[in-house]
């Protein structure tokens, strides 16, 4: 602890107890400047200036409207809302100060020169300068599912499982740990990103979009990285149903693969995404590519998220047959446990957007933008983003491999990662609980035995992560696969029966229609016959009447002749 005399001397320099503790901790050589600042919750720049004896001089200006004790109360309230995950905006901060001033005694309120007891921008800026533990940052919104998933139990199970897997399968080299993840790149989404640009101050902020062909709207890439900083053959899924090519000026063919990273695996699918068949094709290539490492170390570890295409029985069975341990990360924690999400995809997207903007500036009216163009831009961004430093830092930050300990490191999880919503004391308790759970799980639980819970649609439950290449999981997935196939066969049989019944109904309807047509024809013929018979009967009747009339006339003529 710092003595009162030292604090009294440093108070004239603007040192606070937290700052003095950070200075002493750093000078003892325990850790870096950044970690010392984070440990004692002080600004890194302030700590650096204090170590260099560059003390900020008190600037001239109006004295603070509030006393130090009142500002400290407001500061604690701001930190309370920040620790709960509901940080205050500028306007909300002004409202909070206004409410605080209104509850002060009337004699004190009259001394505060705020309009309607509400501070202005000048007070906000000066308040932030006086309190270095508070800074104005952009919001990084955390989804509710992710906040719930970052619980001590889930993360402790995850890291305990990793520690036991490394120990059981003798994972003692960073080249034995792999990570994969997919990311989609859409030209429309990239060009419409809400990023600032330079415009004429008197004009409108409209920008022109490139014209793209239908097969270049979306591309999915799946980088493959290992703990030693290597980038392996990525998987690229292009939009379309079949492979494409075009002829060069010299008559040779070129495909989109010519514009992709070296040894990239190219697949075509509409829409462009990874499904079970595409992922199995990549697994076959990955097994061949890692032959030398598996021959050297016997086992390697492959980590990925719980996407349904990753957890198919066919792919996991092939990985298990070749000694590849499949570790599934906890659900909704990829922002903290997924290497590629943590340190690669963010610069990847930025570089891709920059190259796309550069393409827009250099484009001509008759320029053609197709799948070859987007593959070229994707490759440029891939080379700059998937680097050794980004990969190694990602593995270290996510705890999958620590270069110093030469194993997994559960200590990389901070208290702010465990409980993103809650007070500082709650976060401290949750972090201590997490460390205790990791130690307890490693020593007293067998995390290599997964329960293998599978839901009705055949998807694995990966809430707290899972070891997928165990016999229990594979057997349950196989049973689910057989059950699914049986359902497919049953559904096909039902469909065939329904088709047969439909054809039978159609034949019956055709037969009935033919019978109705035949009956109608017979009815028409009978009506015609009746009409003809009526005419003939009428003719016969007329002829009979005429014969009778002639007979009567002849009889009358004969009778008259006799009388004469």
């Amino acid at each position: 602890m710092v003595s009162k005399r030292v604090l009294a001397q440093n108070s004239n320099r603007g040192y606070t107890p937290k700052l003095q503790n950070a200075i002493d901790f750093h000078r003892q050589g325990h850790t870096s400047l950044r970690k010392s600042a984070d440990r004692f919750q002080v600004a890194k720049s302030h700590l650096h200036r204090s170590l260099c004896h560059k003390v900020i001089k008190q600037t001239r200006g109006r004295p603070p409207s509030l006393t130090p004790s009142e500002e400290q109360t407001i500061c604690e309230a701001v930190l309370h809302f920040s620790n709960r995950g509901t940080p205050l905006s500028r306007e909300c901060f002004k409202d909070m100060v206004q409410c605080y001033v209104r509850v002060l005694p009337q004699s004190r309120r009259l001394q505060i020169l705020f309009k309607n007891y509400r501070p202005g921008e000048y007070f906000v800026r000066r308040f932030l300068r006086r309190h270095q533990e508070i800074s104005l940052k952009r919001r990084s919104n955390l989804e509710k599912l992710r906040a719930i998933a970052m619980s001590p139990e889930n993360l402790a199970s995850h890291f305990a499982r990793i520690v036991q897997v490394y120990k059981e399968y003798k994972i003692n080299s960073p080249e034995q740990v792999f990570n994969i993840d997919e990311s989609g790149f859409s030209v429309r989404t990239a060009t419409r990103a809400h990023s600032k640009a330079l415009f004429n101050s008197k004009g409108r902020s409209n920008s022109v979009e490139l014209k793209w062909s239908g097969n270049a709207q979306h591309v999915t890439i799946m980088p493959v990285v290992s703990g030693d900083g290597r980038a392996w053959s990525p998987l690229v899924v292009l939009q379309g149903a079949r492979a494409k090519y075009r002829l060069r000026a010299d008559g040779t063919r070129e495909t989109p693969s010519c514009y992709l990273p070296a040894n990239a695996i190219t697949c075509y699918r509409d829409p462009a995404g990874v499904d079970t068949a595409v992922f199995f094709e990549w697994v076959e290539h990955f097994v061949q590519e890692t032959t030398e490492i598996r021959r050297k170390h016997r086992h390697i570890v492959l980590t990925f998220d719980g996407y349904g295409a990753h957890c198919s029985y066919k792919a996991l069975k092939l990985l298990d047959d070749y000694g590849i341990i499949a570790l599934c990360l906890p659900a909704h924690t990829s922002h903290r446990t997924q290497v590629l999400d943590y340190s690669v995809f963010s610069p990847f997207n930025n570089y891709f957007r920059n190259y796309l903007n550069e393409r827009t500036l250099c484009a001509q009216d008759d320029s053609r933008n197709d799948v070859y163009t987007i593959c070229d831009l994707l490759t440029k961004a891939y080379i700059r983003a998937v680097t050794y430093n980004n990969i190694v830092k990602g593995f270290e930050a996510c705890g999958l491999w620590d270069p110093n300990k030469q194993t997994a490191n559960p200590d990389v999880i901070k208290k702010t990662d465990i409980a993103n919503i809650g007070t500082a004391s709650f976060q401290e308790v949750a972090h201590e609980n997490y460390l205790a759970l990791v130690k307890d799980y490693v020593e007293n639980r067998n995390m290599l035995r997964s329960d293998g819970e599978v839901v009705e649609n055949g998807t694995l439950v990966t809430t707290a992560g899972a070891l997928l290449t165990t016999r229990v999981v594979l057997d349950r997935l196989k049973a689910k696969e057989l059950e699914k196939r049986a359902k497919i066969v049953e559904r096909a049989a039902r469909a065939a029966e329904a088709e047969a019944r439909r054809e039978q109904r159609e034949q019956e309807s055709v037969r009935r229609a033919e019978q109705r047509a035949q009956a109608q024809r017979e009815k028409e013929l009978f009506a015609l016959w009746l009409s003809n018979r009526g005419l003939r009967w009428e003719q016969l009747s007329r002829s009979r009447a005429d014969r009778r009339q002639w007979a009567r006339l002849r009889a009358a003529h004969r009778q008259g002749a006799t009388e004469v």
Side-chain angles (χ1 to χ4, degrees):
M1 291 298 293
V2 183
S3 63
K4 294 182 180 180
R5 182 178 59 82
V6 175
L7 287 177
Q9 293 176 355
N10 292 335
S11 61
N12 297 327
R13 297 182 178 180
Y15 289 1
T16 61
K18 289 184 179 180
L19 179 59
Q20 184 61 44
N21 291 334
I23 292 172
D24 295 341
F25 186 78
H26 179 73
R27 284 177 175 173
Q28 292 175 5
H30 289 298
T31 182
S32 63
L33 190 67
R34 167 66 67 184
K35 293 183 178 179
S36 299
D38 294 341
R39 179 182 179 88
F40 294 96
Q41 299 180 357
V42 296
K44 179 191 171 189
S45 58
H46 195 186
L47 178 60
H48 176 69
R49 287 192 296 267
S50 302
L51 289 169
C52 297
H53 302 290
K54 296 180 181 179
V55 182
I56 301 175
K57 296 181 179 180
Q58 294 293 335
T59 58
R60 297 180 181 179
R62 290 179 295 179
S65 300
L66 301 178
T67 62
S69 60
E70 293 171 347
E71 287 196 355
Q72 185 62 30
T73 304
I74 296 174
C75 181
E76 292 175 358
V78 172
L79 294 176
H80 170 73
F81 285 107
S82 176
N83 294 331
R84 285 182 53 192
T86 56
L88 300 176
S89 62
R90 283 178 176 266
E91 298 302 321
C92 291
F93 174 73
K94 295 177 184 179
D95 294 338
M96 185 188 70
V97 175
Q98 184 182 21
C99 295
Y100 176 75
V101 173
R102 281 178 176 174
V103 299
L104 293 175
Q106 184 177 3
S107 58
R108 180 70 184 107
R109 289 201 304 267
L110 295 176
Q111 299 174 2
I112 300 175
L113 302 179
F114 289 160
K115 186 176 180 180
N116 295 329
Y117 308 117
R118 182 180 174 85
E121 287 294 330
Y122 179 81
F123 174 81
V124 176
R125 292 194 302 268
R126 302 296 296 180
F127 183 86
L128 293 176
R129 284 189 181 183
R130 288 191 293 269
H131 299 275
Q132 298 281 338
E133 63 270 21
I134 300 175
S135 60
L136 197 63
K137 302 178 181 179
R138 290 185 179 272
R139 291 176 183 267
S140 179
N141 293 331
L142 189 69
E143 300 176 3
K144 184 176 180 180
L145 290 176
R146 292 185 180 273
I148 296 174
M150 297 293 291
S151 63
E153 293 78 10
N154 287 351
L155 292 176
S157 300
H158 166 62
F159 280 102
R161 184 179 296 107
I162 291 177
V163 171
Q164 292 186 1
V165 165
Y166 287 7
K167 184 178 180 180
E168 176 70 18
Y169 296 99
K170 298 180 181 179
I171 308 299
N172 49 22
S173 175
E175 64 179 359
Q176 295 178 259
V177 186
F178 291 79
N179 180 247
I180 60 172
D181 193 21
E182 302 90 355
S183 180
F185 292 86
S186 174
V187 292
R188 293 187 178 273
T189 305
T191 53
R192 294 176 183 177
H194 297 286
S195 57
K196 293 184 178 180
L198 300 178
F199 291 94
N200 185 356
S201 59
K202 298 182 180 179
R204 301 182 64 184
S205 57
N206 294 334
S207 60
V208 179
E209 291 187 1
L210 293 175
K211 294 182 179 179
W212 294 85
S213 58
N215 59 2
Q217 297 295 330
H218 188 80
V219 176
T220 298
I221 184 170
M222 187 181 75
V224 184
V225 296
S226 57
D228 58 347
R230 288 184 58 184
W232 299 73
S233 300
L235 171 66
V236 181
V237 184
L238 302 177
Q239 192 171 358
R242 56 191 178 87
K244 303 173 180 61
Y245 69 91
R246 66 181 180 184
L247 296 177
R248 293 177 178 152
D250 56 356
T252 58
R253 289 185 178 184
E254 67 174 1
T255 63
S257 301
C258 301
Y259 295 85
L260 291 174
N263 302 324
I265 308 168
T266 309
C267 298
Y268 291 87
R269 184 176 178 269
D270 199 8
V274 178
D275 59 359
T276 304
V278 173
F279 185 73
F280 181 76
E281 182 178 350
W282 172 83
V283 169
E284 292 179 330
H285 186 275
F286 180 72
V287 167
Q288 297 177 0
E289 191 176 17
T290 56
T291 302
E292 293 298 327
I293 293 181
R294 287 184 288 104
R295 187 178 301 167
K296 178 180 177 181
H297 298 285
R298 188 176 180 182
H299 290 290
I300 61 176
V301 175
L302 179 64
T303 60
F304 46 76
D305 54 20
Y307 178 48
H310 301 164
C311 303
S312 64
Y313 169 74
K314 193 176 180 181
L316 295 179
K317 184 66 169 61
L318 183 61
L319 292 174
D320 182 61
D321 292 341
Y322 286 91
I324 301 175
I325 313 303
L327 268 177
C328 183
L329 303 175
H332 307 294
T333 61
S334 59
H335 64 286
R336 195 62 188 86
T337 59
Q338 181 78 269
V339 175
L340 292 170
D341 274 350
Y342 189 88
S343 62
V344 174
F345 282 153
S346 179
F348 201 161
N349 289 321
N350 293 334
Y351 288 133
F352 178 76
R353 190 179 299 111
N354 293 337
Y355 283 120
L356 190 60
N357 293 335
E358 181 181 346
R359 174 72 179 179
T360 305
L361 296 176
C362 302
Q364 303 295 331
D365 294 338
D366 57 347
S367 60
R368 183 182 179 185
N369 301 293
D370 50 13
V371 65
Y372 301 92
T373 307
I374 193 173
C375 288
D376 184 36
L377 301 178
L378 198 68
T379 302
K380 292 179 180 178
Y382 178 87
I383 293 173
R384 294 193 61 184
V386 188
T387 60
Y388 172 84
N389 289 334
N390 289 345
I391 296 172
V392 172
K393 289 180 181 178
F395 272 92
E396 183 179 0
C398 294
L400 293 180
W401 189 264
D402 190 344
N404 298 324
K405 295 183 178 181
Q406 291 296 308
T407 185
N409 184 18
D411 297 334
V412 296
I413 300 297
K414 302 177 182 178
K415 61 181 181 180
T416 54
D417 298 325
I418 293 281
N420 291 280
I421 298 177
T423 61
S425 59
F426 176 77
Q427 291 178 347
E428 189 71 30
V429 172
H431 188 257
E432 294 177 357
N433 186 26
Y434 157 74
L435 296 176
L437 285 175
V438 171
K439 184 177 180 181
D440 179 60
Y441 288 172
V442 170
E443 295 178 354
N444 302 324
R445 285 195 182 187
N446 185 7
M447 305 303 297
L448 303 181
R449 294 184 57 187
S450 177
D451 54 1
E453 184 179 357
V454 183
V455 296
E456 292 297 329
N457 59 356
T459 306
L460 283 167
V461 177
T462 59
T463 305
L467 179 60
L468 304 183
T469 50
T470 60
R471 185 54 51 190
V472 175
V473 174
L474 292 177
D475 290 345
R476 295 196 178 186
L477 283 177
K478 183 178 180 180
K480 215 64 179 178
E481 186 74 17
L482 295 176
E483 183 180 350
K484 187 184 296 185
R485 291 181 182 178
K487 288 182 178 180
I488 293 175
V489 173
E490 183 181 358
R491 195 180 299 114
R494 291 178 181 177
E497 292 178 0
E499 183 68 19
R501 289 194 298 269
R502 187 181 63 81
E503 292 180 356
Q504 186 177 1
R505 287 195 299 268
E506 289 180 355
Q507 294 176 358
E508 185 68 21
S509 62
V510 169
R511 185 178 63 80
R512 290 178 180 177
E514 292 177 352
Q515 290 179 355
R516 287 194 296 268
Q518 182 68 21
Q520 183 67 21
R521 287 195 298 270
E522 292 178 356
K523 185 177 180 181
E524 292 176 355
L525 292 174
F526 183 71
L528 180 62
W529 178 79
L530 287 178
S531 62
N532 292 337
R533 182 182 178 188
L535 292 174
R536 183 169 181 79
W537 180 262
E538 185 178 354
Q539 292 176 359
L540 290 175
S541 299
R542 288 178 182 176
S543 62
R544 288 174 183 174
D546 292 342
R547 285 197 299 271
R548 290 193 192 99
Q549 184 68 20
W550 282 106
R552 283 194 296 271
L553 291 175
R554 285 197 298 271
H557 180 69
R558 289 174 184 171
Q559 187 177 3
T562 303
E563 290 179 356
V564 174

